[in-house]
Amino acid sequence: MDEEKQENKLQLTVDEVVEEYVGSFGFSQLLQVLLVSLAWIFDSQSTMVTVFTDAQPDSWWCIGPECSATVCGLKAETWKWSGGNTSSIVTEWGLICHRRFLAALPASLYFLGSLIGYSFFGRLADAFLGRKRSLLLSCLLTSATIYLISLSPNIYIYSLLRFSNGFSRSGIGVCSLVLCTEAVGLKSRVQVGQCGFFFFAAGYLSIPLIAYPTKDSWRNLYKIISFLPLVYAIFILIPFVSESPRWLLVRGRSEEAIGVLKRYARINGRELPLNLTLIATNESENNLSLNKLWNTKWAAKRVALVMITGFGIGFVYYGIQLNVENLNFDVYFTVAMNAMMEIPAVFMGGVLLSFTNRRLLFSCSAFLAGISYISCIIFSHKIENQESRSRGSLPQLMIEALGFMAASTAFDVLYIYCVELFPTNLRNYAVSMLRQGLMLGASISPLLTVSERSSPSFSFFVFGVISITTGLFSLWLPETRNTPLYETLEQQEEEQRFDSVCTDVGIQLGMTVQE
């Protein structure tokens, strides 16, 4: 009788259930994706807030009998910042002249904290808490650390808290991306993966809107954005977001995985078969997968290349955003324009990914960004070596915007590329390794931005060269367009070996026919 029941069971993978019974991308998955992707707003705000809080103001004025072309030769009581001493950490703690490198310390430590956090949250989400609860923890810690930053008494405590904030927010991007892509079918994962980047752009765009009314107090800016992830976690994430059915299955919780799929199907107006069982993976194999990853030559090579390309694009993408003051335009306008350029970049990336090879799209975007940044040198020489901030070159601003849009496209594509390169039980870990590469590059970029405030052309040259080099490295990665999302490393290795054999047989048959 038990054997007869076993024979009557319909055994399918999560991909097969989603495609055949739930729907590749129905209303339930759309709702899930939108609610999860909202978290990217707080990721963006935490990262980009320093464009205003850590910026050096445009102008200063003398209040004493003596004056000079630079504040470095003046006594503290003989001059003042035009915007007041609480507009940024630079003005409040005097981070200029011989102390100017301290202004780069908080941003560098923030990205270093993110680097460590990605590994932590990636492993936590894969092996222990799952995607949803790891995202929840990240949002709560992000809210707490941002508020504590607003109470910082000096640059050193501020830098330490920025490090903790970077560590805390790192779970948002890792878990959001994977939680979204694992809820939909093969044909929809590209568009879904891009959705989070729209919300990241929205968060970026919100920063100048919040910063302008609070421009007299950098502390108030932090306090405002600290409450947003807390509200989201309590009123949206906990009650309305579901755990990934793929992760539940990999962890041996097949009944819960079926429950999530049933809920998706019901909202989509469909039903799952009563005799459905999901094909589960061996738990002992899952525990060994991480070690096997580094012992498998092709898989280790992929991780290394993903981290190298991540380092390059992270240095460029985040560095250019922190470098906006070197354009000598109004910082609120420049940040808003860059944020708006993210929207067509995400849209174009989503459209192009639907019919273009990932490797080609990423490398071309990186090349275009590099060429654009190097072209900025032509217009930057006119405004170099000026102690006072004058209006910058409009062509330079437009070229920089084009380069940023290309860098943003490469940044977004790289995430989707990484998701497709690795199986479910290692996907979160792989994305976390990518983000470690991104954050390592990003942590170095503030040093270039601060040190080259008097020489913008050099910083643009460095950004351009690194972007082009990154595009070249990506050419060693395999193409993943139209490939399935594998569940385990063993399954992926077996399928690739089979494809390789089929290719070799096809070549041999072709040679025989020709003979």
Side-chain angles (χ1 to χ4, degrees):
M1 191 70 177
D2 291 337
E3 292 180 359
E4 185 178 344
K5 278 185 176 181
Q6 188 70 24
E7 290 177 0
N8 291 333
K9 284 184 178 179
L10 180 61
Q11 297 184 326
L12 299 173
T13 64
V14 173
D15 269 330
E16 291 170 337
V17 174
V18 170
E19 294 289 350
E20 296 179 25
Y21 297 101
V22 174
S24 179
F25 188 54
F27 180 75
S28 61
Q29 290 116 312
L30 173 62
L31 188 62
Q32 168 92 348
V33 167
L34 291 176
L35 294 179
V36 171
S37 297
L38 280 171
W40 283 84
I41 293 176
F42 321 124
D43 189 337
S44 177
Q45 289 176 338
S46 296
T47 304
M48 302 307 170
V49 66
T50 55
V51 173
F52 297 100
T53 61
D54 297 15
Q56 181 173 315
D58 291 341
S59 59
W60 54 275
W61 49 283
C62 288
I63 58 175
E66 296 182 3
C67 198
S68 65
T70 174
V71 298
C72 296
L74 296 176
K75 295 181 180 180
E77 63 274 10
T78 62
W79 66 277
K80 284 186 177 181
W81 293 109
S82 57
N85 290 337
T86 60
S87 61
S88 76
I89 65 168
V90 172
T91 60
E92 183 166 335
W93 295 321
L95 307 181
I96 57 173
C97 303
H98 66 283
R99 286 168 54 87
R100 71 181 185 276
F101 284 102
L102 286 176
L105 183 62
S108 292
L109 288 180
Y110 173 85
F111 290 121
L112 287 175
S114 298
L115 187 153
I116 298 172
Y118 288 136
S119 179
F120 173 80
F121 279 101
R123 186 62 180 158
L124 192 70
D126 275 338
F128 300 103
L129 292 185
R131 283 67 160 125
K132 177 181 175 179
R133 285 185 291 178
S134 296
L135 178 58
L136 173 63
L137 178 63
S138 182
C139 287
L140 294 177
L141 290 176
T142 297
S143 176
T145 52
I146 292 177
Y147 186 79
L148 290 174
I149 288 171
S150 70
L151 307 177
S152 301
N154 55 58
I155 181 59
Y156 303 105
I157 299 298
Y158 177 85
S159 299
L160 181 62
L161 288 172
R162 282 295 291 171
F163 174 87
S164 64
N165 181 222
F167 179 90
S168 301
R169 52 72 70 167
S170 57
I172 293 178
V174 171
C175 299
S176 295
L177 178 65
V178 178
L179 193 55
C180 287
T181 54
E182 290 186 347
V184 301
L186 171 65
K187 296 179 180 179
S188 306
R189 70 186 186 215
V190 171
Q191 289 75 17
V192 162
Q194 295 292 97
C195 183
F197 301 127
F198 279 108
F199 286 92
F200 188 91
Y204 188 18
L205 184 59
S206 72
I207 286 295
L209 300 178
I210 301 173
Y212 189 78
T214 61
K215 61 182 178 180
D216 294 331
S217 175
W218 63 269
R219 297 179 187 271
N220 288 340
L221 175 56
Y222 274 114
K223 288 176 181 177
I224 291 174
I225 66 173
S226 70
F227 290 104
L228 301 179
L230 178 63
V231 172
Y232 166 80
I234 295 174
F235 295 104
I236 296 178
L237 181 58
I238 294 176
F240 298 115
V241 173
S242 301
E243 181 56 89
S244 165
R246 296 177 189 272
W247 180 81
L248 290 170
L249 179 62
V250 167
R251 300 303 299 170
R253 297 158 60 178
S254 59
E255 292 299 322
E256 294 178 61
I258 291 176
V260 173
L261 292 171
K262 281 183 178 178
R263 185 159 57 253
Y264 286 163
R266 184 175 63 252
I267 297 174
N268 289 347
R270 299 188 179 192
E271 290 185 2
L272 298 186
L274 296 177
N275 61 339
L276 174 67
T277 60
L278 296 175
I279 299 176
T281 56
N282 187 286
E283 182 65 21
S284 61
E285 290 181 354
N286 291 333
N287 295 330
L288 295 173
S289 293
L290 192 57
N291 291 330
K292 185 175 175 61
L293 171 68
W294 293 108
N295 292 325
T296 305
K297 185 176 179 179
W298 64 266
K301 178 183 175 183
R302 285 190 187 184
V303 175
L305 284 171
V306 162
M307 292 190 71
I308 291 172
T309 53
F311 174 88
I313 208 66
F315 182 93
V316 173
Y317 177 77
Y318 288 107
I320 282 294
Q321 295 176 76
L322 299 176
N323 195 52
V324 291
E325 61 182 282
N326 284 335
L327 290 170
N328 292 312
F329 265 79
D330 178 76
V331 67
Y332 297 96
F333 173 78
T334 307
V335 170
M337 188 189 71
N338 276 350
M340 287 187 289
M341 294 303 288
E342 287 243 36
I343 297 175
V346 175
F347 178 76
M348 287 172 54
V351 172
L352 292 173
L353 278 171
S354 62
F355 61 85
T356 306
N357 290 348
R358 282 78 169 114
R359 181 172 55 192
L360 176 65
L361 181 56
F362 175 83
S363 59
C364 288
S365 299
F367 292 152
L368 177 59
I371 294 170
S372 298
Y373 295 142
I374 292 176
S375 299
C376 286
I377 299 173
I378 300 172
F379 303 96
S380 64
H381 73 278
K382 298 178 182 179
I383 55 177
E384 281 187 17
N385 299 322
Q386 292 184 7
E387 292 294 336
S388 60
R389 302 290 183 111
S390 61
R391 186 168 180 80
S393 166
L394 181 60
Q396 183 193 47
L397 182 65
M398 300 306 295
I399 293 173
E400 186 273 346
L402 175 64
F404 179 72
M405 185 171 70
S408 180
T409 300
F411 184 91
D412 298 347
V413 169
L414 187 56
Y415 270 103
I416 304 302
Y417 201 1
C418 182
V419 166
E420 296 178 343
L421 283 168
F422 299 93
T424 298
N425 62 339
L426 292 171
R427 191 169 297 126
N428 232 59
Y429 176 78
V431 173
S432 72
M433 295 300 287
L434 164 62
R435 290 187 70 106
Q436 285 188 58
L438 289 166
M439 292 306 102
L440 186 59
S443 67
I444 299 174
S445 62
L447 299 173
L448 176 66
T449 301
V450 171
S451 63
E452 298 303 326
R453 277 175 172 160
S454 62
S455 180
S457 62
F458 180 76
S459 60
F460 283 122
F461 176 77
V462 173
F463 287 131
V465 169
I466 291 181
S467 185
I468 292 172
T469 304
T470 300
L472 292 174
F473 269 105
S474 68
L475 298 177
W476 275 283
L477 284 168
E479 182 52 53
T480 60
R481 184 186 173 198
N482 295 327
T483 60
L485 286 176
Y486 298 102
E487 301 297 335
T488 66
L489 188 65
E490 291 75 19
Q491 179 192 14
Q492 185 167 353
E493 191 171 13
E494 183 179 346
E495 289 288 340
Q496 289 182 343
R497 190 182 301 116
F498 177 76
D499 291 342
S500 178
V501 170
C502 289
T503 301
D504 292 340
V505 171
I507 292 173
Q508 291 177 3
L509 288 175
M511 293 175 64
T512 303
V513 169
Q514 287 180 356
E515 291 174 359

